[in-house]
Amino acid sequence: MAPTVIFATNRGKSLVRGTTDVISPHGIPVDLLDRCLIVKTEGYTREDVAKVVQVRAIAEGLTLGEGVLDKISEAGERGSLRYALQLLTPASILANLAGRTEITLQDIDEMNELFLDAKTSSTMIGEFEGGTKS
């Protein structure tokens, strides 16, 4: 019986690690990729992101103001679930510094100005280098 190995990647066509000139889908060598069963996955919906963010906020004892969950969920749907969750900590620190116990839309807007999600960052780098990368 062969071992089961699961790769999770969203790298697209990229350089195979450990090489200097081999570009392959997902950054996985083609001879290995030929032996893989690829499972299609879908991104999180806004509702999915909202559920996870709400659970995390409750677990961390954070209070989200009106519209904050929607705004963070929108950012998570556009960027990633990880990015949406990562907005919570600096936003709560900002609210705390302002003497508030509740995260407001203003806090989230400021975090979105200060930080980029990975997709936006990658697009900006691609544009800077003279081409669009996805």
Side-chain angles (χ1 to χ4, degrees):
M1 176 169 223
T4 301
V5 179
I6 299 173
F7 295 102
T9 178
N10 62 355
R11 293 179 59 205
K13 261 192 143 173
S14 60
L15 187 67
V16 174
R17 293 191 179 170
T19 69
T20 58
D21 62 344
V22 180
I23 295 178
S24 178
H26 311 294
I28 298 172
V30 177
D31 57 336
L32 176 59
L33 198 57
D34 287 342
R35 293 168 175 80
C36 292
L37 177 65
I38 299 174
V39 178
K40 181 181 176 187
T41 59
E42 296 181 13
Y44 292 103
T45 65
R46 189 175 295 197
E47 293 77 25
D48 294 337
V49 174
K51 288 176 188 174
V52 174
V53 169
Q54 186 66 49
V55 167
R56 174 64 69 85
I58 290 168
E60 293 186 14
L62 303 175
T63 305
L64 305 180
E66 188 175 328
V68 170
L69 188 58
D70 290 335
K71 186 80 167 185
I72 292 177
S73 299
E74 177 187 329
E77 183 181 44
R78 181 184 67 248
S80 70
L81 176 61
R82 177 177 291 158
Y83 176 69
L85 292 171
Q86 287 175 335
L87 288 176
L88 288 174
T89 300
S92 69
I93 292 169
L94 188 61
N96 194 328
L97 289 172
R100 292 181 274 105
T101 58
E102 180 179 87
I103 298 172
T104 65
L105 282 173
Q106 180 183 358
D107 299 325
I108 299 303
D109 288 339
E110 189 165 342
M111 293 307 98
N112 277 322
E113 288 178 19
L114 291 172
F115 303 108
L116 298 174
D117 63 87
K119 289 179 186 175
T120 303
S121 177
S122 178
T123 299
M124 290 174 71
I125 290 170
E127 290 170 356
F128 178 76
E129 292 176 348
T132 303
K133 294 183 181 180
S134 47

